[in-house]
Structures are given as C-alpha cells and as structure tokens.
Amino acid sequence: MNRPTASDRLDAGWRRLRRMWRRSVRDDVDDEVAFHMEMRVAEFVAAGLSPEEATQKARAIFGDIGEVSAGLVKIGVRRRRRLDLREALDASLHDLRLAARSLRTHSMFALTAILTLTLGIGASTAIFSVVNAVLLRPLPYDYSSQLVVVTQEMQQRAVSDGALSPLDIADLRSGASRFEEIAAFQTQPNYPVSIDGGSPEPLTYAIVTSNIFDLLRTPAAYGRGFRASDATPNPIVQYERGQAGPARFRRPHTWLISYAFWQRRFHGDSSIIGRTIVGPTGPAQIIGVASPQAELFFPARLNVRRLPDVWNVIQTNPPPESRFSYSLRVIGRMKPGVSIAEARAQIDSISGELDRRFPRRLPLGLRFVVAPMHDFLVADVKPALVALMGAVLFVLLIACANAGNLLLVRASHRSRELVVRAAIGGSPWRIMRQVLAESVILGGASAALGVVFAFGVLRVLLRYAPRTLPRADAIRIDVTVLLFAIAITLLSVVLFGLAPAIRAATPSLADALRASTRTTTLGAPRRLHHAVVVAEVALSFVLLVGCGLMVRTFVTLLHVDIGFEPKGLLTFSLSNRNFGNPADRIAFVRQVQDTLESIPGVNGVTLSTSLPLDGTLTNSSWGVPDAANGRADFHQGAFRAVLPGFFEVLRTPLLAGRTIVAADDTADQRVVVVDDVIARQAYGTTEVVGKKIVARNSDQTIIGVVQHQRQMGLAGVERGVIYFPWSVGAGQAGGWVVRTSGDPRALAGSVRAAIATIPITYRSNIRTVTVGSTRLLVNDLQPMTVYVDRAMAPTRFALWLIGIFAMIGAILTAVGLYGVLASSVRQRTSEIGVRMAFGAEASDIFSLVIGHGLKLSAIGLAVGIALALGLTRVMLSMLVGVRPTDPLTFVTMTILFLGVAVLACWLPARRAASLDPNVALREDAA
Amino acid sequence: MDMMLGTLDVLILRGLSWGPKHGYAVARWIEGSSRGTLTVLDGALYTSLHRMEDRGWIAAEWGVSPLGRKAKFYRLTPVGKKQLQSETQDWSEYVTAVGRVLKTTSEPT
C-alpha cells in the first residue's frame, strides 16, 4: 500500500471541499424546488383538482425537474467557488496588511531580517546568473547540441586536447557519414593587414574550411559566405635570394570580415564588398560580412580567438608531409538523431583505419577524442562554478536560518499574545496565516532588493572575472535568473517562515505560562532555536573550510618558483614584418635590439619565439639518442628560440653549463640549452652538459641546463623546454622582453617611440604590391607581471568569492548565536537570579552562558566537520598543494570559529553576569 | 404565447421591483399581470433567477413565507435596478419601433 503523498492529500482535500459545496448547494436547490412544488400543488388543489392531478400539473408546468435542478446546482457551485476564492483573497490581503503594519512597528527586526535575506538571495541570484549563462544556457548556435569538438591525444606522450593535421581532417570529412559537416580552423592574433593602402593593422585572423559557417548555421550577414571554390590550391611559391615574397600568385584570396569588425572599422559600409585588403600572404578580396553569431567557443587554455576580425579559407591539397603536422582545431555537426556514442564509434573506427595506413602513428598512441562542444568549453570551469554555487546556497541557507531564528524569537516575545488569541478562540489556521504573511512580506521585499543587489554584484563580478571564464559576455539577469530568484525566495519563506508559523499556531498554554513565570528549564521552544543555530554553525564552518583551502592554494601559488623574475620586465611583440630570407630577419632583430638597448633605464633586451605563461607554447617531439639500436626514444616538449642573454634578462637560474652566447647564434651550430624537466626526463639528472638530444631532426649538444620556467600555469606537471639559438630556430614572430630597474609601465612610451624610429619598408609578399610604411606594429605592450597575474586570476577570483561568502556566513552565524544567547539570557533572568541568590558568582554565570554558546558551537562544528569532509571534494580541481581534507585547515578553522563563537557569546554572557540578583529575581522573563 | 429570449429576465426584475419575492410568487405575478397570456415553464423561471443571482442583479436570502414555510426570497440589487431601467427603456423603444413599422400604410419608394 502506497502512502499518500502531499499532492494526493491536497487533491483529496480539494475533492472533499467540492463535495461539500455541492452538497450544500444541492440541498438549497432541492428545498427551493420542493417549496415551489408544494405551493403549486396547494394552488391547484384549491382550484379543485385532486392532489394527484395537482402534482401532475405542477410537474408539467415546471419542466424536467431533474435537469433544471442539475442546472441550478451547476450555477450555484460555480458561484460558491468564486465567492470563496474572493473571500480567501480578501483574507490574505487583510493578513498581509496586518503583517505589514506589525513589521513597521518592529522595524529593527524587519530590517535585520530583510538585510540578511537580501544578502542570501542577491548573492545566490548573481552566482546563478553566471552558472546559467556558462553551464546551463546552450551555445548560441542553432541545434547546438549536435555540435562536437574533435581533438587528438597522444596517449604515449601524455598529450591531450591536441590539434589535428589537415590530411587527417580530410579523411574525417570523407569518412564520417554520421556527421553533417566537419570543419577545421586555426586562429592567429596580431595579423598585419593593410586597409586602403594604410599602415598594417593588427587583426585577429582565422583560417577555416569553407564549410564552417554552414556547420555553425551562421550564414553571412552581408555579401556571400565561403564556397568550396574559394579553397583554391596553394600558389606555387618561389623565393629568390634577396627578394621578399613569392614569385607569383594565382589570384586574390577571398576573405570574410566579421560583423563586429565591419561595424568598428567600416561603420557598416555596404560598399566594402569587393574591396581588396592586403595581408602578409597577398591581396584579399572581401566577399562578405560574417554573421554576428559566428564565434568560436573554445576553452581559454587552447588559445583559440573567439571573435576573429577576418576569415580566410584553408587552401586544399595539403602536401603529404602535413599528415603529421598538427595545427587545426576541429568542430563537427552530428546528423540529427545521431548520439554522441555513435559519433565517437565512427571517429574511433576512422582513427583505427589511419593507424593501419600510417604505422608511424602507433608509437605515439594517437587517438581522436570527441566531446560535445558545450561540455568541452566549460569542462575547466564547471567544478569551480558548481562549488561556488554550492557555497552561495549555503550562505542563503544560513540567511534563512537567521531570519527563521529572528521570527522564532519574535514569536516567543509575543507568545502570550498568541496564547491569549488562541484561548479566546482565534483559529490556529488564522494565526498561522498571519505569521506566514509576515514571512511572505519579508521574503518579497528581500527578493526585490536581492535582485537589485544581484545586479550590482554581477557588475563587480564581471569586472574581476578571469578571462578563462567562457561566455562571460552572455552573463546577465534574465527571465530564467528571475525565476530562480523567485523559486529560492519561496524556498526561503518556507524554510524560515514555516516553523515559526506552526509554532505560533500551536502555542502550548503550559509553555506560555511557564515562560511568564519563573522558569529554570530550557523549554521545548528553545530546542528549535538551538537546532537552527547548530545548523548555521555547521554550514558556515563548511564555508570557512572552503575559504581556508582556497587561501592555502593561493599562498601555494604565490610561492611557486616560476623560474624567472617577472618584476621589472616589459614585454611586447612586433608584427607586420615579413622577411623573405633569414639574413634580413637577423639584421632586423639586431636593429630592434640595438634601438631598445639605447633607451635610458633599459638594462637588458631579449627576444624569444614565445614567452613563459603567455599561453602560446607549442608542442614538439624530442628524443634521447640511443646508440645501441640507432633509434631514439621520443618525448613531447616545447621548443623555443632565444637571443643570447635571454636567461640573464629573465633572471632564470642556470643550473649547469653555460647559457647561449653570441657565438652560438649561427645557423651551423647545433647547441641547445635545456631546462631541468628535459634533463631529468632524458637522463634522470641535471648533469647533462655535453650530452646529446635529438630535436629538429638532428643531434643537438646540450651546453647548459636552466631552471624550468612555468609555461602554461602555476600548477601541475608541465612539459620541458628546449632552447635554441635565435638564428637557428626563429620564426617570424616573437616576444620581446625589456628589463628595467624601474616601473616597466613607465617605459612603455619610450619603447613605442624607439620602435617608431626604426626605418623600415613594409613589403608585402607580392612583388608587384609594395606598401610603404614607417611604422612597426607594437602589440601587447605590457609588464611581464600581467602574465603571472593572469595565471593567478582564476584562483584569486574563486578565493575572493568563497572568502566573501565565508565571511558573510560567519557574521550571520555569529549574529544568530548572539541572538539565541541574548534571548536565552533574557528568558532565564529569574533562573540566574536564583543561582546568584544561592551564591553563584558573576564569573560562574558568565561561564554558564559562554559554556552554553560553546556547547552549541561544538555540536555545530562536529556536524560541520563531517559535512566539510564530504563536501570539500568538489573543490579538488581548484586546489593546488593542499588536499580537500587538509588537517591544518580544519584545525585552524575550528579554532577560528570557536574564537568567533566566544565573541558572539561575550555580550550576552556579560549581561547575564552583571545582573543584579534582586532585580533578576523579580524580573518577569517574558 | 412563448417569450422572446431575455424577456423573462426583465419580467422577473420587474416582478421583484416591489420588494422581495420567492420564486413561486414571481411566477404567479407574471401569470397574473399578463392575465395568463404569457406562460413560462417554472423551471426556466428558476434558471433565470439563479443566473441573475450569479450575475449579481438580484440577491437571495432564506426567509419564512407568509404561510410560515421556509422559502428563498429574491430581491433586486442596485445593479439589478439599473439593469431593469435600461432594459425597460430598450424594450419600449423596441416596441415603439416595431409598432411604427407595422403601422406604416404606404410602401416606401
């Protein structure tokens, strides 16, 4: 037999009520009709008919009695229901008015409760709006649940989230029949593009397969999108010594520009279609404006630019050797009805097919990984957001507990009033409704204020949100968020209002009488207060532990040895320079270096293909030569080409050997510096100077070992770095680093000015087009500390939020503890008087009250510790160098919390201890 | 003679305009004042009464009939009075108009 649920019971009650109405209405109708018939019969009998004939005639002129009566009952029931509802509404409005008046007269109580709940509701609403935008709302593409991201992992070398090669993608596109489309792309910042013959501008550049906008369902806003025919084969490029640019070019590229760039740079000018702009690879014709929705949502760690300014098409016919050059990101759209498991199975089988065709793949353990695009985007931030949401709901619960306790205290203050009202026949339902009405008003006011508060919180939150938070621009307070606010308000009202309402409706005469005379016991009503305070203590302890763990993580990160000294370093990159031959490139670099070094206050200048923590590290393979079998054991690592002086300028400690000097910086030297990670991985020691490693397809001699510079983040295992002399390994771009003894920001102006003096002629790759320019583009000019700050940002952000929540929680709990003890002291005044009369000292009374508070706290702490042990696990991904069950944190927070508890108990205890026994004995506790 | 739709309502309102009456009394009043010309099923009368009560034109109260029996008495509400006035006026205008048409002797050109 099933036990009836609440809704069953509600249904049954409603049915009973309707039966009741129907019965009373039917009785009325029957009475009325019966009376009528009697009168008619009497009338006809008086006219001379027999009673039978009279009855028959009366029936005849009435019509169908059954049908008419049923109709009358129907009208009556409808009317009754309407009237009853109106009455209930009137009564509720009346209750609300009364409650509002009562709250106005107790404005301190009302303000405290509203303030408390506003904090809880506002903070929860703000955090929920983040969770809603980032985790809950689907990506802004049509049928976005069909979208997946395909990455590649090298199981043997612990590489995941890797890019794919153009040829693998071609095989995926032709083989994956369960997909509508598979598209690939690559983005690049600071891409120099010259518009209308002007100086090149640093644009964000995307090179994509022609089907990407079809896949995303974002057709061009203006002009046309890409067609397969736009992906013409690469032109044959011929370099001649001393000349820049390919010898000939088949035809201009076709580019789309982004909607935002169109608005920003061309003010939405429609004549832009067909115009030619010039990039490093030659002139390009603008064929259309991409949809404003054309955005590339990828996690921040992959360094994909979400909003490219210009879009170009990947040329088909990649050369066979590009089979193992992994550079492209891949998105797929599954056909309708295809499950992610089916899609995975197909991609896996294609991967297996590739393994058979290219045995070179096997030792790498290559495998394609398919993940829903939204999941892939938020995977990094999800645990932290869930933890924050949990924390803020704890704050809300604590706020509810506090408000509930306030209401309970208030109810106990008016217990005599309520008892009297009950005694003179006030219905319990009526009294309960009135107390609930107060809760509803408090909840409503708090919800309204809470939403306003949430707006403010959100503004601050978004300003300090780390850039790793995806879709931050979609965070706002919308209908879903408002519904959430209403839902949690209702929940809060039930949580904090119901117990006091029930308590008020069922006052025990005995309790009330006891409360109004001398009492020496803690009556039953106190038990509820105590339970609520214990719950508060437990919840806020969990928050404190969470905060403590974040503090420890933060401190750990602050003390991470990042392998260089970021203070005093200014970094930037230069773009728009395109050199056909290495000699020009080297001469140019030397010129920039000399110019920068001549700036007063500059102590050192260096250049590297990438900088630590700038997020652009590449992944290449290197190996340890094995003389025995002539093969090498390969690993993954990062390659970097640096100018002599790189380690000195960055102050990276040299562990063995020497650093790169000018003499090494020639193309025929095969020397490298490695960091300790590489050294240990290769030979298990840092004593590796003179030994060889295989990189860039040849043996390299290790001349020095430096300390590892943190590359991608401050925590976790990272791949090592191999440093080549600049001339050997340099590409076109790089990060310049300038060291100064002062504030690097102050140097920014002079660096710009110095760069502007470098006389250059910008030459595009097309021999016929020569674009004159006197200006090099200086990009990302900022102190090196910005990169370090950025790496700290997610932890700092989470620490701030959890810290604030923990503080609010602790304060609210302290207030709650204080409130309960204060009201307890008030109610026990006469007891305390008796104790004093029997010789208790003030200090005894003091410790009695403190002891009472501490006992409650201790129970709460015990529950809190158990709770925290179970819950802090969700923070695992946010923690560095500390376990979720870190004993030190638990102990520290316990002591801290006991301190807070003592503070909260202090005032009530002092008041109790300073009571005059004569007065106390006479005091009526109520 | 059968009655036109809605006419019954006006007649009942008129019947109640002298003071509260129970349903039977209203029926008798209609029969009496139309000298038996207008016949209406008693059931229809009660349906109309209840419907007008639901609309708030009339109000009902249980009371004691002149013969000492418990009966439901109906009385006009202010809304009902207004309704009676406007319907009476509509009705006379209608009757006048119809009468005028029927009395026309010449075919209009």
Side-chain angles (χ1 to χ4, degrees), chain A residues 27-29 31-36 38-40 43 58 60-63 68 72-73 75-76 78-79 82, chain B residues 22-24 27-28 31 40-44 46-47 49-51 53-54 62 65 67 69-72 74:
Chain A
D27 287 352
D28 275 6
V29 167
D31 284 355
E32 192 177 15
V33 172
F35 169 76
H36 177 87
E38 254 174 64
M39 297 302 282
R40 276 290 191 212
E43 176 195 338
I61 64 168
F62 193 91
V68 169
L72 297 184
V73 168
I75 296 174
R78 203 172 57 210
R79 181 174 153 75
R82 206 175 55 220
Chain B
H22 47 69
Y24 174 70
R28 293 283 288 163
E31 285 160 18
V40 47
L41 281 178
D42 288 347
Y46 278 98
T47 305
L49 277 170
H50 281 234
R51 210 173 270 146
E53 184 193 1
D54 193 31
W62 285 92
S65 80
L67 297 173
R69 289 275 287 105
K70 199 182 126 200
K72 200 174 172 190
Y74 296 90

Side-chain angles (χ1 to χ4, degrees), chain A residues 599-671:
Chain A
I599 300 173
V602 168
N603 300 338
V605 175
T606 192
L607 172 65
S608 165
T609 40
S610 66
L611 294 175
L613 295 175
D614 73 353
T616 60
L617 210 62
T618 52
N619 213 351
S620 313
S621 68
W622 58 273
V624 183
D626 185 345
N629 63 12
R631 284 182 60 240
D633 177 18
F634 279 95
H635 305 275
Q636 292 301 119
F639 290 1
R640 200 173 261 169
V642 298
L643 280 185
F646 177 75
F647 303 106
E648 288 78 3
V649 171
L650 267 75
R651 301 202 179 139
T652 297
L654 181 68
L655 303 179
R658 61 177 180 86
T659 57
I660 293 168
V661 295
D664 302 319
D665 199 12
T666 55
D668 50 356
Q669 291 293 320
R670 301 202 189 283
V671 293

Side-chain angles (χ1 to χ4, degrees), chain A residues 130 134-135 296-304 306 374-385 388 461-473 475 613-615 712-714 786-798 877-878:
Chain A
V130 177
V134 179
L135 299 186
L296 301 169
F297 288 103
F298 271 71
R301 69 193 140 84
L302 295 187
N303 233 9
V304 167
R306 180 168 64 94
H374 196 189
D375 293 0
F376 187 72
L377 175 68
V378 301
D380 288 347
V381 297
K382 192 173 180 175
L385 282 182
L388 284 176
L461 212 70
L462 289 180
R463 179 161 337 136
Y464 295 105
R467 41 168 59 202
T468 47
L469 184 67
R471 305 190 69 197
D473 55 341
I475 296 170
L613 295 175
D614 73 353
M712 302 305 285
L714 301 180
V786 168
Y787 293 111
V788 184
D789 276 356
R790 213 174 272 166
M792 295 285 281
T795 301
R796 191 186 298 121
F797 186 65
S877 74
M878 303 156 75

Side-chain angles (χ1 to χ4, degrees), chain B residues 42-99:
Chain B
D42 288 347
L45 180 96
Y46 278 98
T47 305
S48 172
L49 277 170
H50 281 234
R51 210 173 270 146
M52 286 196 289
E53 184 193 1
D54 193 31
R55 282 185 207 134
W57 295 356
I58 59 179
E61 212 174 338
W62 285 92
V64 182
S65 80
L67 297 173
R69 289 275 287 105
K70 199 182 126 200
K72 200 174 172 190
F73 285 81
Y74 296 90
R75 63 179 168 76
L76 281 186
T77 63
V79 184
K81 267 179 200 145
K82 223 171 272 168
Q83 190 66 24
L84 174 60
Q85 269 169 22
S86 83
E87 296 227 357
T88 309
Q89 197 179 339
D90 286 354
W91 181 252
S92 358
E93 278 169 17
Y94 177 72
V95 169
T96 316
V98 172

Side-chain angles (χ1 to χ4, degrees), chain A residues 136-371:
Chain A
L136 302 182
R137 212 182 302 150
L139 292 176
Y141 305 119
D142 281 353
Y143 303 101
S144 60
S145 60
Q146 295 173 349
L147 294 178
V148 297
V149 169
V150 185
T151 56
Q152 178 165 250
E153 60 179 27
M154 287 186 214
Q155 287 158 320
Q156 303 310 318
R157 296 199 191 152
V159 175
S160 58
D161 290 338
L164 273 66
S165 79
L167 285 173
D168 286 353
I169 291 166
D171 286 331
L172 281 181
R173 287 179 73 172
S174 60
S177 59
R178 286 175 184 163
F179 287 78
E180 264 175 25
E181 302 273 2
I182 289 181
F185 68 90
Q186 196 180 356
T187 61
Q188 189 182 328
N190 300 324
Y191 194 75
V193 174
S194 168
I195 296 160
D196 297 334
S199 300
E201 299 167 30
L203 301 185
T204 305
Y205 173 79
I207 181 156
V208 300
T209 50
S210 59
N211 61 344
I212 192 158
F213 298 123
D214 296 336
L215 182 147
L216 295 177
R217 306 258 160 96
T218 53
Y222 196 68
R224 69 169 176 90
F226 290 128
R227 299 185 192 124
S229 60
D230 291 315
T232 49
N234 275 326
I236 301 148
V237 177
Q238 291 172 344
Y239 286 101
E240 288 171 45
R241 182 104 190 133
Q243 285 187 343
R248 61 197 178 82
F249 199 85
R250 197 158 288 174
R251 66 166 175 75
H253 289 258
T254 45
W255 283 12
L256 261 73
I257 60 176
S258 81
Y259 194 89
F261 180 59
W262 183 47
Q263 294 293 329
R264 191 175 70 230
R265 183 62 176 75
F266 301 106
H267 311 291
D269 177 8
S270 55
S271 72
I272 187 72
I273 307 295
R275 250 205 265 176
T276 297
I277 55 181
V278 182
T281 54
Q285 197 180 35
I286 297 173
I287 55 165
V289 176
S291 157
Q293 272 85 44
E295 299 176 46
L296 301 169
F297 288 103
F298 271 71
R301 69 193 140 84
L302 295 187
N303 233 9
V304 167
R305 303 288 149 158
R306 180 168 64 94
L307 293 165
D309 295 318
V310 292
W311 302 76
N312 190 9
V313 169
I314 297 173
Q315 312 286 300
T316 48
N317 84 340
E321 63 270 22
S322 72
R323 174 65 69 182
F324 290 90
S325 115
Y326 303 118
S327 57
L328 295 171
R329 292 283 157 197
V330 175
I331 316 174
R333 182 183 282 278
M334 301 182 290
K335 282 183 178 160
V338 173
S339 73
I340 186 82
E342 290 166 331
R344 274 194 187 120
Q346 187 165 48
I347 299 289
D348 281 349
S349 80
I350 294 173
S351 181
E353 180 63 30
L354 287 172
D355 284 345
R356 272 189 292 283
R357 281 166 58 199
F358 305 99
R360 243 182 91 182
R361 288 168 58 88
L362 292 173
L364 300 172
L366 286 173
R367 203 176 73 87
F368 297 129
V369 180
V370 182

Side-chain angles (χ1 to χ4, degrees), chain A residues 385-398:
Chain A
L385 282 182
V386 169
L388 284 176
M389 193 69 223
V392 82
L393 286 180
F394 271 32
V395 172
L396 179 67
L397 285 178
I398 293 172

